Amino acid sequence: MKKKLTIGLFGFGVVGQGLYNVLSQTHGVKAEIKRIAIKDKSKTRTLPQELFTTDKTEILNDPSIDIVVELINDHEAAYAIVKEAIEKGKHVVTANKRMLAENLEEFYELQQRYGKSILYEGSVCGSIPIIRNLEEYYDNDLLTSIEGIFNGSTNYILTKVFEEKKSYADALLKAQELGFAETDPALDVEGYDAKFKLVIAIAHTFGVFVKPADVINIGIDKISATDLKYAKENNLSIKLVARAFKQGDKVFAFVAPQFIEAHHPLASIRNEYNAVLVEGAFAEKQTFVGKGAGSYPTGSAVLSDVSALTYGYAYEYKKRAQHEALSFSNDLRVEAVVTFEDQHSVSIKDFETFKSGYAANGKQLLQGILTLAQFKALSERDGVSVLLAANATFSPIAESVPEDLLAS
Amino acid sequence: MKKKLTIGLFGFGVVGQGLYNVLSQTHGVKAEIKRIAIKDKSKTRTLPQELFTTDKTEILNDPSIDIVVELINDHEAAYAIVKEAIEKGKHVVTANKRMLAENLEEFYELQQRYGKSILYEGSVCGSIPIIRNLEEYYDNDLLTSIEGIFNGSTNYILTKVFEEKKSYADALLKAQELGFAETDPALDVEGYDAKFKLVIAIAHTFGVFVKPADVINIGIDKISATDLKYAKENNLSIKLVARAFKQGDKVFAFVAPQFIEAHHPLASIRNEYNAVLVEGAFAEKQTFVGKGAGSYPTGSAVLSDVSALTYGYAYEYKKRAQHEALSFSNDLRVEAVVTFEDQHSVSIKDFETFKSGYAANGKQLLQGILTLAQFKALSERDGVSVLLAANATFSPIAESVPEDLLAS
């Protein structure tokens, strides 16, 4: 039986306002916003002043509030709010991917201990119902991989750069104007935002908690004119791809730009759209596409979480029970394309296996197999751009013999 | 709390065997198949004979069986099984779209009366979790349209005809060999199969029960060489599109082949893949892509329903409560492309509004606005092929004044 729920909302930015509008227009969600905690009470609001407060205890200490919806930017303040809300017996809905990614294991334990839910569908790919489907629909499938375009802002930039030949800076500015971009653009363009989402998705795909700091992210900020030229000549596009997959008892995961063939399902994902490709033993290949950013798409996901709380929904982290032996690893070889202008930047020796290369007008391109660590290291050299090759294959590095065995 | 469930299975064809394999390989579904009812006991089976029976009462009258999984071909026999199972207090899982589409309103009422579930995720677009998402994730969104490629067999044929220049007959044969096609190919190629799925989807998108006989379906069996030539010259593909949408208090729905522009999300859906595009006020545009046919994809959906029954899941037909005033209508104008060889087959007068036309080498093409009734009537003329135009617009025909009002 659905019961009427009372919401305390933290933050009244674009998503919070979206939620408020959606809640007031839709039928059937038995929930109302009682109080909205904000930072700056002097801002002009379209709603009655008495709804707002700058004192978080007016929500956290109010026993009539069942759900805290946390939609603020500051991930550290958000962490404190979520933790205190759960400890005070409230459910939480949040879309704060950084905070979730950094604290997911603790939040898992807090949910078990206090018997309250933390739901966060809006944190991963906006309106795409990926977490719920991983939990419920694929609860018994043996999933082997999840990958996709997890950041709308960079995909918007790449679309504009490719299709409208806009400059990178112009495209970024436009993405910010349209409200797709994070306040700190580095979170988007350096691949952190996609990584936070990937870390959350991994918990529900493979049942493994991974620290964001352990996952390699390479962004789109160093993509070169040579990369664009190579893409056009080979009928490829470039996408920032987040991926995680299982091989044996290991889970591998990373975020990196990649050349994408025209027929690939990600090739047609344009502008601020996100896409998630899930592969499992039984459902085989599934694709989900939807808007990854913006006030309504994220507000819709948050609303769906609120609605789920009216019938007592909680994530069970079902894959965790199934795959206890899986562990995260970066011991992987990848196939990469490396471009640079200064001929001394990169040499064939930087590759484990060199495949091909060319140089023209001072611009160089090398392709070959690298370890993930080498790939990351090259990405950090000045004037060097690295991308995964189109249809890159990935092969785990066989485990070396443990040192204690060698010593014996 | 999940409880262990006992399954009686009807049918052991490709999907039934898929389910059996999936159930025996996967972890965590607390359900086992106790009995399998089959038609022909003399066939060689890979499982112990004592599992099989040809007497349906051995399942229906067995009080230890909680769930009947119905996976037989014969829709009339399936109807009798589903009805009796519910009346005897069992839950039902089925993927029989024709039977469901024709009896959905009665099944809705039976579920209410007996307090048992009929789940049928596998009936619509195989492995794509569309029913569950319409029910749960979009439970509070104001959905405005659902459309897509709902039949894998015709999409496979169209892909082969377009990309590999196979003949229509060869492509159909290959689809049948691969197990995508219905036993009666007319169900696929004339658009019936897609229509049954559409009727089921409409119940969960708009809360309206529509009779399949009231929904117009036009297939791909009359697509002409002129259509293919026109498509290639204009960089279009052809897809069999099922669609339903809401305008005002009316729901419109039909299945028809359509020219699709290269950038359209359906353009990249190839072979036996299905796609569903959902549009709502808040979630905006969402796309789901997955395999629509085959033993594992459908088996996976059936398994997911079995799994949902272990925690007491039932469809609530949530949109029904929200939209009681909606009604189904065919009073619509559509933009169509009509091709034919005999110059007397079609004339400009057959259109409400004629837009353009050309004739060459005895082949003719006319484009313009038709009512849905005219569109259907033209599709039935000998030697005439009709398709919806690329990006066709649809406009409701304003309601005429009711006759009783005219009389008063």
Side-chain angles (χ1 to χ4, degrees), chain B residues 161-217:
Chain B
V161 167
F162 260 79
E163 291 182 10
E164 298 176 18
K165 307 204 191 329
K166 271 195 200 294
S167 77
Y168 177 85
D170 283 354
L172 173 58
L173 200 66
K174 186 77 184 159
Q176 288 177 311
E177 278 171 22
L178 291 170
F180 309 145
E182 294 291 315
T183 320
D184 174 4
L187 288 176
D188 289 322
V189 299
E190 295 176 14
Y192 286 96
D193 177 79
K195 176 165 82 168
F196 298 141
K197 294 167 179 169
L198 182 63
V199 161
I200 298 166
I202 288 170
H204 296 277
T205 310
F206 302 115
V208 176
F209 293 118
V210 186
K211 288 275 165 215
D214 293 336
V215 176
I216 286 169
N217 57 295

Short mmCIF file of all heavy atoms in Angstrom, two decimals, chain B residues 161-217:
data_model
loop_
_atom_site.label_atom_id
_atom_site.label_comp_id
_atom_site.label_asym_id
_atom_site.label_seq_id
_atom_site.Cartn_x
_atom_site.Cartn_y
_atom_site.Cartn_z
N VAL B 161 17.70 -7.36 -47.23
CA VAL B 161 17.29 -6.85 -48.54
C VAL B 161 18.06 -5.57 -48.87
O VAL B 161 18.55 -5.38 -49.98
CB VAL B 161 15.76 -6.63 -48.59
CG1 VAL B 161 15.36 -5.82 -49.81
CG2 VAL B 161 15.02 -7.97 -48.55
N PHE B 162 18.21 -4.70 -47.87
CA PHE B 162 18.88 -3.42 -48.09
C PHE B 162 20.39 -3.56 -48.19
O PHE B 162 21.01 -3.06 -49.11
CB PHE B 162 18.56 -2.44 -46.96
CG PHE B 162 17.50 -1.46 -47.34
CD1 PHE B 162 16.17 -1.82 -47.33
CD2 PHE B 162 17.84 -0.18 -47.74
CE1 PHE B 162 15.20 -0.94 -47.71
CE2 PHE B 162 16.87 0.72 -48.12
CZ PHE B 162 15.53 0.34 -48.10
N GLU B 163 20.97 -4.25 -47.20
CA GLU B 163 22.43 -4.21 -47.10
C GLU B 163 23.10 -5.27 -47.95
O GLU B 163 24.21 -5.09 -48.41
CB GLU B 163 22.85 -4.40 -45.64
CG GLU B 163 22.48 -3.21 -44.80
CD GLU B 163 22.94 -3.36 -43.36
OE1 GLU B 163 23.71 -4.29 -43.06
OE2 GLU B 163 22.52 -2.53 -42.54
N GLU B 164 22.43 -6.43 -48.09
CA GLU B 164 23.09 -7.51 -48.80
C GLU B 164 22.39 -7.81 -50.13
O GLU B 164 22.72 -8.80 -50.79
CB GLU B 164 23.14 -8.76 -47.92
CG GLU B 164 23.95 -8.51 -46.66
CD GLU B 164 23.94 -9.70 -45.70
OE1 GLU B 164 23.59 -10.82 -46.14
OE2 GLU B 164 24.26 -9.49 -44.52
N LYS B 165 21.42 -6.96 -50.46
CA LYS B 165 20.69 -7.13 -51.72
C LYS B 165 20.16 -8.54 -51.91
O LYS B 165 20.11 -9.07 -53.01
CB LYS B 165 21.56 -6.72 -52.92
CG LYS B 165 22.17 -5.32 -52.78
CD LYS B 165 22.52 -4.70 -54.09
CE LYS B 165 23.37 -3.44 -53.95
NZ LYS B 165 23.14 -2.64 -52.74
N LYS B 166 19.84 -9.19 -50.78
CA LYS B 166 19.18 -10.49 -50.86
C LYS B 166 17.76 -10.28 -51.37
O LYS B 166 17.17 -9.21 -51.21
CB LYS B 166 19.07 -11.10 -49.45
CG LYS B 166 20.26 -11.94 -49.04
CD LYS B 166 19.87 -12.79 -47.82
CE LYS B 166 21.08 -13.28 -47.05
NZ LYS B 166 21.93 -14.22 -47.77
N SER B 167 17.20 -11.32 -51.99
CA SER B 167 15.79 -11.22 -52.35
C SER B 167 14.96 -11.37 -51.08
O SER B 167 15.41 -11.93 -50.08
CB SER B 167 15.42 -12.33 -53.35
OG SER B 167 15.28 -13.55 -52.65
N TYR B 168 13.75 -10.87 -51.16
CA TYR B 168 12.83 -10.95 -50.04
C TYR B 168 12.62 -12.40 -49.61
O TYR B 168 12.68 -12.73 -48.42
CB TYR B 168 11.51 -10.31 -50.51
CG TYR B 168 10.41 -10.36 -49.51
CD1 TYR B 168 10.31 -9.37 -48.54
CD2 TYR B 168 9.46 -11.36 -49.54
CE1 TYR B 168 9.28 -9.41 -47.62
CE2 TYR B 168 8.43 -11.41 -48.62
CZ TYR B 168 8.35 -10.43 -47.67
OH TYR B 168 7.34 -10.47 -46.75
N ALA B 169 12.42 -13.30 -50.59
CA ALA B 169 12.16 -14.71 -50.27
C ALA B 169 13.35 -15.36 -49.57
O ALA B 169 13.20 -16.09 -48.58
CB ALA B 169 11.81 -15.47 -51.55
N ASP B 170 14.56 -15.10 -50.07
CA ASP B 170 15.76 -15.64 -49.44
C ASP B 170 15.91 -15.14 -48.01
O ASP B 170 16.28 -15.89 -47.11
CB ASP B 170 17.02 -15.22 -50.22
CG ASP B 170 17.19 -16.03 -51.50
OD1 ASP B 170 16.42 -16.99 -51.69
OD2 ASP B 170 18.09 -15.70 -52.28
N ALA B 171 15.65 -13.85 -47.83
CA ALA B 171 15.81 -13.25 -46.50
C ALA B 171 14.80 -13.85 -45.52
O ALA B 171 15.14 -14.14 -44.37
CB ALA B 171 15.66 -11.73 -46.57
N LEU B 172 13.58 -14.08 -45.99
CA LEU B 172 12.56 -14.69 -45.12
C LEU B 172 12.96 -16.11 -44.72
O LEU B 172 12.87 -16.49 -43.55
CB LEU B 172 11.20 -14.70 -45.83
CG LEU B 172 10.06 -15.46 -45.13
CD1 LEU B 172 9.80 -14.90 -43.73
CD2 LEU B 172 8.78 -15.42 -45.95
N LEU B 173 13.44 -16.85 -45.71
CA LEU B 173 13.88 -18.21 -45.44
C LEU B 173 14.98 -18.24 -44.39
O LEU B 173 14.96 -19.05 -43.45
CB LEU B 173 14.39 -18.83 -46.76
CG LEU B 173 14.44 -20.35 -46.81
CD1 LEU B 173 13.02 -20.93 -46.75
CD2 LEU B 173 15.12 -20.83 -48.10
N LYS B 174 15.92 -17.32 -44.54
CA LYS B 174 17.04 -17.26 -43.60
C LYS B 174 16.54 -16.90 -42.19
O LYS B 174 17.00 -17.48 -41.20
CB LYS B 174 18.04 -16.20 -44.10
CG LYS B 174 19.33 -16.13 -43.31
CD LYS B 174 20.27 -17.26 -43.63
CE LYS B 174 21.52 -17.20 -42.73
NZ LYS B 174 22.21 -18.48 -42.65
N ALA B 175 15.60 -15.97 -42.10
CA ALA B 175 15.03 -15.58 -40.80
C ALA B 175 14.35 -16.78 -40.15
O ALA B 175 14.45 -16.99 -38.94
CB ALA B 175 14.04 -14.44 -40.97
N GLN B 176 13.67 -17.59 -40.97
CA GLN B 176 13.02 -18.78 -40.42
C GLN B 176 14.04 -19.80 -39.94
O GLN B 176 13.90 -20.38 -38.87
CB GLN B 176 12.07 -19.38 -41.47
CG GLN B 176 10.82 -18.52 -41.67
CD GLN B 176 9.90 -19.06 -42.75
OE1 GLN B 176 10.36 -19.37 -43.85
NE2 GLN B 176 8.62 -19.15 -42.43
N GLU B 177 15.08 -19.97 -40.72
CA GLU B 177 16.15 -20.90 -40.31
C GLU B 177 16.76 -20.50 -38.98
O GLU B 177 17.11 -21.33 -38.16
CB GLU B 177 17.27 -20.92 -41.36
CG GLU B 177 17.01 -21.82 -42.55
CD GLU B 177 18.07 -21.62 -43.64
OE1 GLU B 177 19.18 -21.13 -43.32
OE2 GLU B 177 17.75 -21.92 -44.79
N LEU B 178 16.91 -19.19 -38.80
CA LEU B 178 17.56 -18.69 -37.58
C LEU B 178 16.61 -18.67 -36.39
O LEU B 178 17.02 -18.34 -35.28
CB LEU B 178 18.13 -17.29 -37.82
CG LEU B 178 19.33 -17.24 -38.78
CD1 LEU B 178 19.67 -15.80 -39.14
CD2 LEU B 178 20.54 -17.92 -38.14
N GLY B 179 15.34 -19.01 -36.63
CA GLY B 179 14.39 -19.10 -35.51
C GLY B 179 13.81 -17.77 -35.08
O GLY B 179 13.23 -17.65 -34.01
N PHE B 180 13.93 -16.72 -35.91
CA PHE B 180 13.33 -15.43 -35.54
C PHE B 180 11.88 -15.35 -35.98
O PHE B 180 11.11 -14.57 -35.45
CB PHE B 180 14.04 -14.24 -36.23
CG PHE B 180 15.52 -14.24 -36.07
CD1 PHE B 180 16.33 -13.78 -37.08
CD2 PHE B 180 16.11 -14.69 -34.89
CE1 PHE B 180 17.70 -13.75 -36.93
CE2 PHE B 180 17.47 -14.67 -34.75
CZ PHE B 180 18.28 -14.19 -35.77
N ALA B 181 11.53 -16.11 -37.02
CA ALA B 181 10.22 -15.91 -37.65
C ALA B 181 9.16 -16.76 -36.97
O ALA B 181 9.43 -17.83 -36.44
CB ALA B 181 10.31 -16.26 -39.12
N GLU B 182 7.92 -16.27 -36.98
CA GLU B 182 6.78 -17.04 -36.52
C GLU B 182 6.57 -18.24 -37.45
O GLU B 182 6.96 -18.21 -38.61
CB GLU B 182 5.53 -16.16 -36.55
CG GLU B 182 5.55 -15.01 -35.56
CD GLU B 182 5.46 -15.46 -34.11
OE1 GLU B 182 4.63 -16.32 -33.80
OE2 GLU B 182 6.25 -14.96 -33.29
N THR B 183 5.92 -19.27 -36.93
CA THR B 183 5.61 -20.45 -37.75
C THR B 183 4.83 -20.03 -39.01
O THR B 183 5.10 -20.50 -40.11
CB THR B 183 4.77 -21.45 -36.93
OG1 THR B 183 5.29 -21.48 -35.60
CG2 THR B 183 4.84 -22.84 -37.54
N ASP B 184 3.87 -19.15 -38.81
CA ASP B 184 3.14 -18.60 -39.95
C ASP B 184 3.77 -17.26 -40.33
O ASP B 184 3.58 -16.27 -39.63
CB ASP B 184 1.67 -18.39 -39.54
CG ASP B 184 0.88 -17.68 -40.63
OD1 ASP B 184 1.44 -17.43 -41.73
OD2 ASP B 184 -0.30 -17.39 -40.39
N PRO B 185 4.53 -17.20 -41.43
CA PRO B 185 5.26 -15.96 -41.74
C PRO B 185 4.36 -14.75 -41.95
O PRO B 185 4.79 -13.61 -41.76
CB PRO B 185 6.03 -16.30 -43.02
CG PRO B 185 5.50 -17.58 -43.52
CD PRO B 185 4.79 -18.27 -42.40
N ALA B 186 3.09 -14.98 -42.31
CA ALA B 186 2.17 -13.85 -42.50
C ALA B 186 2.05 -13.02 -41.22
O ALA B 186 1.90 -11.80 -41.27
CB ALA B 186 0.79 -14.35 -42.94
N LEU B 187 2.13 -13.68 -40.06
CA LEU B 187 2.03 -12.94 -38.79
C LEU B 187 3.14 -11.90 -38.68
O LEU B 187 2.94 -10.81 -38.18
CB LEU B 187 2.09 -13.91 -37.60
CG LEU B 187 0.86 -14.77 -37.36
CD1 LEU B 187 1.09 -15.73 -36.21
CD2 LEU B 187 -0.38 -13.90 -37.09
N ASP B 188 4.32 -12.25 -39.16
CA ASP B 188 5.43 -11.30 -39.15
C ASP B 188 5.29 -10.27 -40.27
O ASP B 188 5.23 -9.07 -40.01
CB ASP B 188 6.77 -12.04 -39.36
CG ASP B 188 7.19 -12.87 -38.17
OD1 ASP B 188 6.97 -12.42 -37.02
OD2 ASP B 188 7.74 -13.96 -38.39
N VAL B 189 5.29 -10.77 -41.51
CA VAL B 189 5.47 -9.85 -42.64
C VAL B 189 4.25 -8.97 -42.90
O VAL B 189 4.36 -7.92 -43.51
CB VAL B 189 5.92 -10.59 -43.93
CG1 VAL B 189 7.25 -11.29 -43.70
CG2 VAL B 189 4.87 -11.55 -44.42
N GLU B 190 3.08 -9.38 -42.45
CA GLU B 190 1.90 -8.52 -42.61
C GLU B 190 1.67 -7.61 -41.40
O GLU B 190 0.67 -6.89 -41.34
CB GLU B 190 0.66 -9.39 -42.90
CG GLU B 190 0.78 -10.12 -44.24
CD GLU B 190 -0.38 -11.06 -44.52
OE1 GLU B 190 -1.41 -10.98 -43.82
OE2 GLU B 190 -0.23 -11.90 -45.43
N GLY B 191 2.57 -7.68 -40.43
CA GLY B 191 2.51 -6.72 -39.33
C GLY B 191 1.62 -7.11 -38.16
O GLY B 191 1.41 -6.32 -37.24
N TYR B 192 1.11 -8.34 -38.16
CA TYR B 192 0.24 -8.75 -37.05
C TYR B 192 1.02 -8.90 -35.74
O TYR B 192 0.57 -8.46 -34.68
CB TYR B 192 -0.48 -10.06 -37.37
CG TYR B 192 -1.59 -9.89 -38.37
CD1 TYR B 192 -1.37 -10.14 -39.73
CD2 TYR B 192 -2.85 -9.44 -37.98
CE1 TYR B 192 -2.37 -9.95 -40.66
CE2 TYR B 192 -3.86 -9.26 -38.90
CZ TYR B 192 -3.62 -9.51 -40.24
OH TYR B 192 -4.63 -9.32 -41.15
N ASP B 193 2.15 -9.56 -35.84
CA ASP B 193 2.96 -9.79 -34.64
C ASP B 193 3.30 -8.45 -33.96
O ASP B 193 3.15 -8.29 -32.75
CB ASP B 193 4.22 -10.56 -35.02
CG ASP B 193 5.14 -10.77 -33.85
OD1 ASP B 193 4.86 -11.68 -33.04
OD2 ASP B 193 6.13 -10.02 -33.71
N ALA B 194 3.75 -7.48 -34.77
CA ALA B 194 4.08 -6.15 -34.21
C ALA B 194 2.84 -5.50 -33.60
O ALA B 194 2.91 -4.84 -32.57
CB ALA B 194 4.66 -5.27 -35.31
N LYS B 195 1.69 -5.72 -34.24
CA LYS B 195 0.46 -5.13 -33.73
C LYS B 195 0.06 -5.72 -32.38
O LYS B 195 -0.35 -5.00 -31.47
CB LYS B 195 -0.67 -5.35 -34.74
CG LYS B 195 -2.02 -4.85 -34.25
CD LYS B 195 -3.01 -4.75 -35.37
CE LYS B 195 -3.66 -6.08 -35.67
NZ LYS B 195 -4.83 -5.90 -36.58
N PHE B 196 0.19 -7.04 -32.24
CA PHE B 196 -0.15 -7.65 -30.94
C PHE B 196 0.71 -7.04 -29.83
O PHE B 196 0.22 -6.72 -28.74
CB PHE B 196 0.05 -9.17 -30.99
CG PHE B 196 -0.82 -9.88 -32.01
CD1 PHE B 196 -0.33 -10.94 -32.76
CD2 PHE B 196 -2.14 -9.47 -32.21
CE1 PHE B 196 -1.13 -11.59 -33.69
CE2 PHE B 196 -2.96 -10.12 -33.15
CZ PHE B 196 -2.45 -11.18 -33.89
N LYS B 197 1.99 -6.89 -30.13
CA LYS B 197 2.89 -6.31 -29.12
C LYS B 197 2.51 -4.86 -28.82
O LYS B 197 2.55 -4.42 -27.67
CB LYS B 197 4.33 -6.38 -29.63
CG LYS B 197 4.84 -7.81 -29.76
CD LYS B 197 6.13 -7.85 -30.56
CE LYS B 197 6.65 -9.27 -30.69
NZ LYS B 197 7.76 -9.38 -31.68
N LEU B 198 2.15 -4.14 -29.88
CA LEU B 198 1.75 -2.73 -29.70
C LEU B 198 0.52 -2.63 -28.80
O LEU B 198 0.46 -1.77 -27.90
CB LEU B 198 1.48 -2.11 -31.07
CG LEU B 198 1.09 -0.64 -31.10
CD1 LEU B 198 2.22 0.24 -30.55
CD2 LEU B 198 0.73 -0.18 -32.52
N VAL B 199 -0.45 -3.51 -29.01
CA VAL B 199 -1.68 -3.49 -28.22
C VAL B 199 -1.34 -3.72 -26.72
O VAL B 199 -1.91 -3.06 -25.85
CB VAL B 199 -2.66 -4.57 -28.75
CG1 VAL B 199 -3.72 -4.92 -27.72
CG2 VAL B 199 -3.30 -4.08 -30.05
N ILE B 200 -0.41 -4.62 -26.47
CA ILE B 200 -0.01 -4.87 -25.08
C ILE B 200 0.69 -3.64 -24.50
O ILE B 200 0.42 -3.21 -23.38
CB ILE B 200 0.91 -6.11 -25.00
CG1 ILE B 200 0.16 -7.36 -25.48
CG2 ILE B 200 1.44 -6.31 -23.57
CD1 ILE B 200 1.07 -8.56 -25.78
N ALA B 201 1.59 -3.06 -25.30
CA ALA B 201 2.32 -1.88 -24.84
C ALA B 201 1.37 -0.71 -24.56
O ALA B 201 1.57 0.06 -23.60
CB ALA B 201 3.38 -1.47 -25.86
N ILE B 202 0.34 -0.56 -25.37
CA ILE B 202 -0.61 0.55 -25.18
C ILE B 202 -1.28 0.47 -23.80
O ILE B 202 -1.48 1.49 -23.15
CB ILE B 202 -1.68 0.53 -26.31
CG1 ILE B 202 -1.06 0.96 -27.64
CG2 ILE B 202 -2.87 1.43 -25.97
CD1 ILE B 202 -1.97 0.75 -28.85
N ALA B 203 -1.59 -0.75 -23.36
CA ALA B 203 -2.24 -0.90 -22.05
C ALA B 203 -1.35 -0.33 -20.93
O ALA B 203 -1.85 0.25 -19.97
CB ALA B 203 -2.57 -2.36 -21.78
N HIS B 204 -0.04 -0.50 -21.09
CA HIS B 204 0.88 -0.05 -20.04
C HIS B 204 1.42 1.37 -20.26
O HIS B 204 1.99 1.95 -19.37
CB HIS B 204 2.03 -1.05 -19.89
CG HIS B 204 1.55 -2.40 -19.42
ND1 HIS B 204 1.33 -2.68 -18.10
CD2 HIS B 204 1.18 -3.50 -20.10
CE1 HIS B 204 0.88 -3.93 -17.99
NE2 HIS B 204 0.78 -4.45 -19.19
N THR B 205 1.25 1.89 -21.46
CA THR B 205 1.70 3.26 -21.75
C THR B 205 0.59 4.26 -21.46
O THR B 205 0.82 5.33 -20.90
CB THR B 205 2.10 3.38 -23.24
OG1 THR B 205 2.99 2.33 -23.58
CG2 THR B 205 2.78 4.73 -23.49
N PHE B 206 -0.63 3.89 -21.88
CA PHE B 206 -1.75 4.83 -21.78
C PHE B 206 -2.91 4.31 -20.92
O PHE B 206 -3.89 5.03 -20.72
CB PHE B 206 -2.28 5.17 -23.18
CG PHE B 206 -1.23 5.76 -24.08
CD1 PHE B 206 -0.79 5.09 -25.22
CD2 PHE B 206 -0.67 6.99 -23.79
CE1 PHE B 206 0.18 5.63 -26.05
CE2 PHE B 206 0.31 7.54 -24.62
CZ PHE B 206 0.72 6.86 -25.75
N GLY B 207 -2.81 3.06 -20.47
CA GLY B 207 -3.90 2.52 -19.66
C GLY B 207 -5.17 2.23 -20.43
O GLY B 207 -6.26 2.24 -19.87
N VAL B 208 -5.05 2.01 -21.73
CA VAL B 208 -6.22 1.77 -22.58
C VAL B 208 -6.14 0.34 -23.13
O VAL B 208 -5.09 -0.09 -23.58
CB VAL B 208 -6.24 2.78 -23.75
CG1 VAL B 208 -7.39 2.49 -24.71
CG2 VAL B 208 -6.33 4.20 -23.22
N PHE B 209 -7.27 -0.37 -23.08
CA PHE B 209 -7.34 -1.69 -23.70
C PHE B 209 -7.93 -1.55 -25.09
O PHE B 209 -9.05 -1.07 -25.26
CB PHE B 209 -8.20 -2.65 -22.86
CG PHE B 209 -7.59 -2.98 -21.53
CD1 PHE B 209 -8.22 -2.65 -20.35
CD2 PHE B 209 -6.36 -3.63 -21.46
CE1 PHE B 209 -7.65 -2.94 -19.11
CE2 PHE B 209 -5.78 -3.94 -20.23
CZ PHE B 209 -6.43 -3.59 -19.05
N VAL B 210 -7.18 -1.97 -26.08
CA VAL B 210 -7.61 -1.86 -27.48
C VAL B 210 -7.70 -3.26 -28.06
O VAL B 210 -6.85 -4.11 -27.76
CB VAL B 210 -6.58 -1.04 -28.30
CG1 VAL B 210 -7.10 -0.79 -29.71
CG2 VAL B 210 -6.23 0.25 -27.60
N LYS B 211 -8.70 -3.51 -28.89
CA LYS B 211 -8.79 -4.81 -29.56
C LYS B 211 -7.85 -4.82 -30.77
O LYS B 211 -7.85 -3.87 -31.56
CB LYS B 211 -10.23 -5.04 -30.06
CG LYS B 211 -11.23 -5.32 -28.96
CD LYS B 211 -11.21 -6.81 -28.63
CE LYS B 211 -11.92 -7.08 -27.30
NZ LYS B 211 -11.29 -8.18 -26.55
N PRO B 212 -7.07 -5.87 -30.95
CA PRO B 212 -6.18 -5.92 -32.12
C PRO B 212 -6.93 -5.67 -33.43
O PRO B 212 -6.39 -5.01 -34.33
CB PRO B 212 -5.62 -7.34 -32.07
CG PRO B 212 -5.74 -7.77 -30.66
CD PRO B 212 -6.93 -7.05 -30.09
N ALA B 213 -8.16 -6.16 -33.53
CA ALA B 213 -8.90 -5.99 -34.79
C ALA B 213 -9.18 -4.52 -35.11
O ALA B 213 -9.40 -4.17 -36.27
CB ALA B 213 -10.22 -6.76 -34.71
N ASP B 214 -9.13 -3.66 -34.09
CA ASP B 214 -9.40 -2.24 -34.33
C ASP B 214 -8.16 -1.48 -34.78
O ASP B 214 -8.26 -0.30 -35.15
CB ASP B 214 -9.95 -1.59 -33.05
CG ASP B 214 -11.33 -2.13 -32.69
OD1 ASP B 214 -12.03 -2.62 -33.62
OD2 ASP B 214 -11.71 -2.06 -31.51
N VAL B 215 -6.99 -2.12 -34.69
CA VAL B 215 -5.73 -1.42 -35.00
C VAL B 215 -5.29 -1.81 -36.41
O VAL B 215 -5.22 -3.00 -36.74
CB VAL B 215 -4.64 -1.77 -33.97
CG1 VAL B 215 -3.31 -1.12 -34.35
CG2 VAL B 215 -5.08 -1.36 -32.57
N ILE B 216 -5.00 -0.82 -37.22
CA ILE B 216 -4.59 -1.06 -38.61
C ILE B 216 -3.14 -1.55 -38.66
O ILE B 216 -2.27 -0.97 -38.01
CB ILE B 216 -4.77 0.24 -39.42
CG1 ILE B 216 -6.26 0.46 -39.68
CG2 ILE B 216 -3.97 0.21 -40.72
CD1 ILE B 216 -6.60 1.83 -40.22
N ASN B 217 -2.93 -2.63 -39.42
CA ASN B 217 -1.56 -3.09 -39.63
C ASN B 217 -1.31 -3.29 -41.12
O ASN B 217 -2.11 -3.91 -41.82
CB ASN B 217 -1.28 -4.40 -38.88
CG ASN B 217 -2.24 -5.51 -39.25
OD1 ASN B 217 -3.44 -5.41 -38.97
ND2 ASN B 217 -1.72 -6.58 -39.85
#
